[in-house]
Amino acid sequence: MELAGNDARPLRLSTARLVLRRWADADREPFAALNADPEVMRYFRGPLDRTASDAFADRIESSFDELGYGLWAVELRSSGEFIGFTGLARQTFPAHFTPAVEVGWRLGRSAWGNGYATEAARAALDFAFDVAGLEEVVSTTTRTNERSQAVMRRLGMTHDSADDFAYPLLPDAHPFRPHVLYRMSKQRGLATTRPPR
Ligand SMILES: CC(C)(COP(=O)(O)OP(=O)(O)OC[C@H]1O[C@@H](n2cnc3c(N)ncnc32)[C@H](O)[C@@H]1OP(=O)(O)O)[C@@H](O)C(=O)NCCC(=O)NCCS
Protein backbone atom coordinates (compact mmCIF):
# COMPACT_ATOMS: atom_id res chain seq x y z
CA MET A 1 0.00 0.00 0.00
CA GLU A 2 1.30 3.44 -0.90
CA LEU A 3 -0.10 6.47 0.88
CA ALA A 4 -0.59 9.88 -0.68
CA GLY A 5 -1.51 13.07 1.14
CA ASN A 6 -1.12 13.78 4.83
CA ASP A 7 -0.06 10.50 6.50
CA ALA A 8 -2.52 11.07 9.33
CA ARG A 9 -5.43 11.35 6.87
CA PRO A 10 -4.19 10.10 3.52
CA LEU A 11 -6.23 11.08 0.52
CA ARG A 12 -5.66 7.87 -1.37
CA LEU A 13 -4.16 4.41 -1.10
CA SER A 14 -2.55 2.72 -4.09
CA THR A 15 -2.10 -0.96 -4.86
CA ALA A 16 -0.66 -2.69 -7.93
CA ARG A 17 -3.90 -2.33 -9.91
CA LEU A 18 -6.14 -0.05 -7.88
CA VAL A 19 -6.54 3.36 -6.33
CA LEU A 20 -8.63 3.70 -3.16
CA ARG A 21 -9.72 7.31 -2.81
CA ARG A 22 -12.29 9.73 -1.45
CA TRP A 23 -15.53 9.93 -3.40
CA ALA A 24 -16.16 12.20 -6.40
CA ASP A 25 -19.47 13.42 -7.80
CA ALA A 26 -18.84 11.36 -10.92
CA ASP A 27 -18.94 8.15 -8.83
CA ARG A 28 -22.59 8.61 -7.98
CA GLU A 29 -23.99 7.40 -11.28
CA PRO A 30 -21.96 4.16 -11.50
CA PHE A 31 -22.52 3.62 -7.76
CA ALA A 32 -26.29 3.91 -8.28
CA ALA A 33 -26.05 1.44 -11.16
CA LEU A 34 -24.32 -1.22 -9.06
CA ASN A 35 -26.67 -0.60 -6.13
CA ALA A 36 -29.61 -1.16 -8.50
CA ASP A 37 -28.24 -4.55 -9.63
CA PRO A 38 -30.19 -7.35 -7.87
CA GLU A 39 -27.20 -9.72 -8.12
CA VAL A 40 -24.84 -7.25 -6.38
CA MET A 41 -27.52 -6.66 -3.73
CA ARG A 42 -28.57 -10.30 -3.43
CA TYR A 43 -27.54 -10.61 0.25
CA PHE A 44 -28.97 -7.26 1.31
CA ARG A 45 -32.56 -6.18 1.79
CA GLY A 46 -32.75 -5.42 -1.92
CA PRO A 47 -31.48 -3.02 -4.58
CA LEU A 48 -31.24 0.70 -3.79
CA ASP A 49 -32.84 3.44 -5.85
CA ARG A 50 -30.86 6.55 -6.81
CA THR A 51 -31.95 8.54 -3.75
CA ALA A 52 -30.93 5.79 -1.33
CA SER A 53 -27.66 5.22 -3.21
CA ASP A 54 -26.75 8.92 -3.03
CA ALA A 55 -27.67 9.02 0.67
CA PHE A 56 -25.33 6.06 1.28
CA ALA A 57 -22.50 7.87 -0.58
CA ASP A 58 -23.15 10.92 1.64
CA ARG A 59 -22.91 8.79 4.80
CA ILE A 60 -19.68 7.24 3.55
CA GLU A 61 -18.11 10.66 2.94
CA SER A 62 -19.18 11.82 6.42
CA SER A 63 -17.34 8.88 7.91
CA PHE A 64 -14.06 10.08 6.36
CA ASP A 65 -14.63 13.52 7.87
CA GLU A 66 -15.42 12.01 11.26
CA LEU A 67 -12.95 9.12 11.53
CA GLY A 68 -10.26 9.80 8.92
CA TYR A 69 -11.12 6.55 7.14
CA GLY A 70 -14.12 4.91 5.55
CA LEU A 71 -15.30 2.90 2.57
CA TRP A 72 -12.93 4.15 -0.12
CA ALA A 73 -14.11 4.53 -3.70
CA VAL A 74 -12.10 2.03 -5.75
CA GLU A 75 -10.92 2.76 -9.27
CA LEU A 76 -8.83 0.82 -11.75
CA ARG A 77 -5.41 2.37 -12.25
CA SER A 78 -5.41 1.24 -15.88
CA SER A 79 -8.56 3.10 -16.92
CA GLY A 80 -9.69 5.27 -14.01
CA GLU A 81 -13.00 3.35 -13.98
CA PHE A 82 -14.92 3.44 -10.68
CA ILE A 83 -15.70 -0.18 -9.73
CA GLY A 84 -17.25 0.13 -6.24
CA PHE A 85 -16.01 0.48 -2.67
CA THR A 86 -13.76 -1.29 -0.19
CA GLY A 87 -12.76 -0.04 3.21
CA LEU A 88 -13.43 0.38 6.88
CA ALA A 89 -16.70 1.10 8.64
CA ARG A 90 -17.40 1.51 12.34
CA GLN A 91 -20.23 -0.78 13.47
CA THR A 92 -22.22 0.02 16.57
CA PHE A 93 -25.31 -2.18 16.20
CA PRO A 94 -25.90 -4.27 19.34
CA ALA A 95 -23.86 -7.49 19.14
CA HIS A 96 -21.30 -9.33 21.27
CA PHE A 97 -18.34 -7.89 19.31
CA THR A 98 -19.44 -4.26 18.82
CA PRO A 99 -18.40 -1.47 18.74
CA ALA A 100 -15.95 -2.66 16.11
CA VAL A 101 -14.36 -1.59 12.85
CA GLU A 102 -15.37 -3.75 9.91
CA VAL A 103 -13.63 -4.22 6.58
CA GLY A 104 -16.19 -4.46 3.75
CA TRP A 105 -16.55 -4.43 -0.02
CA ARG A 106 -19.09 -4.00 -2.80
CA LEU A 107 -18.02 -4.06 -6.44
CA GLY A 108 -19.96 -3.89 -9.68
CA ARG A 109 -20.47 -7.31 -11.23
CA SER A 110 -18.14 -6.69 -14.18
CA ALA A 111 -15.26 -6.25 -11.68
CA TRP A 112 -15.78 -9.61 -9.92
CA GLY A 113 -13.37 -12.48 -10.49
CA ASN A 114 -10.17 -10.42 -10.75
CA GLY A 115 -8.96 -10.37 -7.15
CA TYR A 116 -9.76 -6.67 -6.84
CA ALA A 117 -11.76 -6.91 -3.59
CA THR A 118 -8.99 -8.86 -1.86
CA GLU A 119 -6.29 -6.50 -3.19
CA ALA A 120 -8.21 -3.41 -2.05
CA ALA A 121 -9.05 -4.95 1.34
CA ARG A 122 -5.38 -5.75 1.98
CA ALA A 123 -4.61 -2.04 1.55
CA ALA A 124 -7.50 -1.15 3.87
CA LEU A 125 -6.20 -3.58 6.52
CA ASP A 126 -2.68 -2.20 6.22
CA PHE A 127 -4.16 1.24 6.75
CA ALA A 128 -6.17 0.00 9.75
CA PHE A 129 -3.14 -1.35 11.56
CA ASP A 130 -0.33 0.93 10.33
CA VAL A 131 -2.06 4.30 10.18
CA ALA A 132 -5.29 4.16 12.18
CA GLY A 133 -3.66 2.13 14.97
CA LEU A 134 -6.55 -0.31 15.34
CA GLU A 135 -6.04 -3.48 17.37
CA GLU A 136 -8.59 -5.59 15.50
CA VAL A 137 -10.72 -5.46 12.36
CA VAL A 138 -13.73 -7.72 11.83
CA SER A 139 -15.80 -8.67 8.83
CA THR A 140 -19.36 -9.94 8.81
CA THR A 141 -21.80 -11.21 6.26
CA THR A 142 -24.86 -13.36 5.99
CA ARG A 143 -24.02 -17.07 6.31
CA THR A 144 -24.93 -17.77 2.69
CA ASN A 145 -22.74 -15.06 1.11
CA GLU A 146 -19.94 -17.39 0.03
CA ARG A 147 -18.13 -14.92 -2.25
CA SER A 148 -17.72 -12.46 0.60
CA GLN A 149 -16.53 -15.16 3.00
CA ALA A 150 -14.00 -16.29 0.38
CA VAL A 151 -12.52 -12.76 0.41
CA MET A 152 -12.27 -12.94 4.23
CA ARG A 153 -10.44 -16.26 4.01
CA ARG A 154 -8.10 -15.03 1.25
CA LEU A 155 -7.18 -12.12 3.50
CA GLY A 156 -6.21 -14.58 6.23
CA MET A 157 -8.99 -13.57 8.60
CA THR A 158 -9.94 -16.17 11.19
CA HIS A 159 -13.36 -17.64 11.87
CA ASP A 160 -14.68 -19.25 15.06
CA SER A 161 -18.28 -20.40 14.72
CA ALA A 162 -18.81 -19.47 18.39
CA ASP A 163 -18.59 -15.84 17.19
CA ASP A 164 -21.45 -16.15 14.69
CA PHE A 165 -24.49 -14.08 15.52
CA ALA A 166 -28.00 -13.03 14.53
CA TYR A 167 -27.85 -9.67 12.74
CA PRO A 168 -30.04 -7.56 15.02
CA LEU A 169 -31.31 -5.11 12.39
CA LEU A 170 -33.25 -7.83 10.55
CA PRO A 171 -36.48 -9.47 11.77
CA ASP A 172 -36.18 -12.83 13.60
CA ALA A 173 -37.30 -15.03 10.71
CA HIS A 174 -35.37 -13.21 7.97
CA PRO A 175 -33.21 -15.65 5.95
CA PHE A 176 -30.20 -13.28 6.05
CA ARG A 177 -30.27 -12.86 9.84
CA PRO A 178 -27.73 -15.64 10.59
CA HIS A 179 -24.32 -13.94 10.18
CA VAL A 180 -20.72 -15.07 10.35
CA LEU A 181 -17.98 -13.03 12.02
CA TYR A 182 -14.38 -13.15 10.86
CA ARG A 183 -11.58 -11.41 12.75
CA MET A 184 -8.13 -10.05 11.98
CA SER A 185 -5.92 -9.04 14.90
CA LYS A 186 -3.28 -6.35 14.48
CA GLN A 187 -0.56 -8.94 15.09
CA ARG A 188 -1.91 -11.31 12.45
CA GLY A 189 -2.71 -8.44 10.10
CA LEU A 190 0.80 -7.03 10.22
CA ALA A 191 2.20 -10.50 9.58
CA THR A 192 -0.14 -11.53 6.78
CA THR A 193 -1.73 -8.64 4.91
CA ARG A 194 1.22 -7.06 3.17
CA PRO A 195 2.99 -8.47 0.13
CA PRO A 196 6.68 -9.33 0.65
CA ARG A 197 8.91 -6.30 0.15
C1 LIG B 1 -18.00 -9.98 -2.39
C2 LIG B 1 -17.30 -9.50 -3.66
C3 LIG B 1 -16.62 -8.16 -3.42
C4 LIG B 1 -16.25 -10.57 -4.03
O1 LIG B 1 -15.68 -10.25 -5.28
P1 LIG B 1 -14.69 -11.31 -5.98
O2 LIG B 1 -14.29 -10.73 -7.26
O3 LIG B 1 -15.31 -12.66 -5.93
O4 LIG B 1 -13.46 -11.37 -4.95
P2 LIG B 1 -11.92 -11.10 -5.20
O5 LIG B 1 -11.72 -9.72 -5.61
O6 LIG B 1 -11.20 -11.59 -4.02
O7 LIG B 1 -11.60 -12.00 -6.47
C5 LIG B 1 -11.40 -13.40 -6.33
C6 LIG B 1 -11.62 -14.10 -7.65
O8 LIG B 1 -10.82 -13.48 -8.66
C7 LIG B 1 -9.98 -14.48 -9.29
N1 LIG B 1 -8.79 -13.79 -9.83
C8 LIG B 1 -8.59 -13.55 -11.15
N2 LIG B 1 -7.45 -12.86 -11.33
C9 LIG B 1 -6.90 -12.69 -10.09
C10 LIG B 1 -5.71 -12.06 -9.63
N3 LIG B 1 -4.86 -11.48 -10.48
N4 LIG B 1 -5.47 -12.04 -8.32
C11 LIG B 1 -6.31 -12.63 -7.45
N5 LIG B 1 -7.47 -13.24 -7.84
C12 LIG B 1 -7.76 -13.27 -9.15
C13 LIG B 1 -9.80 -15.50 -8.21
O9 LIG B 1 -9.42 -16.73 -8.74
C14 LIG B 1 -11.21 -15.54 -7.61
O10 LIG B 1 -12.03 -16.24 -8.50
P3 LIG B 1 -13.14 -17.32 -8.03
O11 LIG B 1 -14.23 -16.52 -7.36
O12 LIG B 1 -13.59 -17.92 -9.29
O13 LIG B 1 -12.46 -18.22 -7.08
C15 LIG B 1 -18.32 -9.35 -4.82
O14 LIG B 1 -18.91 -10.59 -5.07
C16 LIG B 1 -19.42 -8.32 -4.51
O15 LIG B 1 -19.22 -7.11 -4.65
N6 LIG B 1 -20.61 -8.82 -4.08
C17 LIG B 1 -21.75 -7.97 -3.82
C18 LIG B 1 -21.62 -7.17 -2.56
C19 LIG B 1 -21.45 -8.00 -1.33
O16 LIG B 1 -22.10 -9.03 -1.17
N7 LIG B 1 -20.57 -7.53 -0.46
C20 LIG B 1 -20.31 -8.16 0.81
C21 LIG B 1 -21.33 -7.84 1.77
S1 LIG B 1 -20.87 -8.30 3.41
Side-chain angles (χ1 to χ4, degrees), residues 46-63:
L48 302 182
D49 65 16
R50 177 68 193 249
T51 305
S53 178
D54 285 351
F56 186 23
D58 288 341
R59 288 198 302 279
I60 291 172
E61 265 299 307
S62 310
S63 150

Side-chain angles (χ1 to χ4, degrees), residues 156-179:
M157 300 185 84
T158 56
H159 176 231
D160 177 348
S161 57
D163 265 339
D164 292 348
F165 66 105
Y167 185 63
L169 306 183
L170 287 171
D172 278 353
H174 197 287
F176 295 158
R177 198 165 138 94
H179 267 53

Side-chain angles (χ1 to χ4, degrees), residues 17 39-41 43-44 102 104-108 111-119 139-142 145 147-148 150-152 154:
R17 296 178 295 171
E39 186 60 23
V40 171
M41 299 305 283
Y43 297 106
F44 298 90
E102 174 167 27
W105 33 73
R106 185 182 301 175
L107 304 182
W112 297 7
N114 294 290
Y116 293 146
T118 300
E119 185 171 318
S139 195
T140 74
T141 191
T142 187
N145 190 343
R147 287 193 87 102
S148 193
V151 177
M152 297 170 198
R154 279 191 285 272

